[in-house]
Amino acid sequence: SRESHSSNLMKRSFAMALLMLAFAALSHAVATAAVGSLETRSAVTPVQKVIELMEGMLAKGKAEKHDEQVQFAAYKQFCD
């Protein structure tokens, strides 16, 4: 139904906004913590790993959203 689809979109939008906020906060933390020796810069820190994982989650979420939109458009066309 339209209401459940709308509700799902709102939930996903909120989750994406929360994810972007967390990503921005972590990016800021990494930028301010980047002052250090070359040795610590060359190694992947736990914060950088989290950022990489979050970027992967964001890309996956965008791909899933696109796939869902394509599927919904096909379904809507079928219903019309």
Side-chain angles (χ1 to χ4, degrees):
S1 73
R2 273 200 160 151
E3 288 182 29
S4 65
H5 181 66
S6 177
S7 177
N8 284 340
L9 285 177
M10 282 185 18
K11 287 178 185 176
R12 282 183 182 239
S13 296
F14 178 76
M16 292 297 281
L18 188 59
L19 185 64
M20 287 182 201
L21 180 62
F23 177 75
L26 283 173
S27 295
H28 177 71
V30 168
T32 57
V35 179
S37 69
L38 289 175
E39 293 172 2
T40 57
R41 287 188 194 174
S42 64
V44 177
T45 66
V47 174
Q48 289 170 328
K49 184 64 178 172
V50 169
I51 290 173
E52 289 175 6
L53 291 171
M54 291 181 75
E55 287 173 338
M57 288 172 46
L58 183 62
K60 182 180 176 186
K62 285 181 179 181
E64 287 177 357
K65 179 181 176 183
H66 180 268
D67 292 344
E68 185 175 320
Q69 287 173 331
V70 169
Q71 185 180 15
F72 181 75
Y75 174 74
K76 184 178 177 186
Q77 186 178 14
F78 172 77
C79 290
D80 291 339

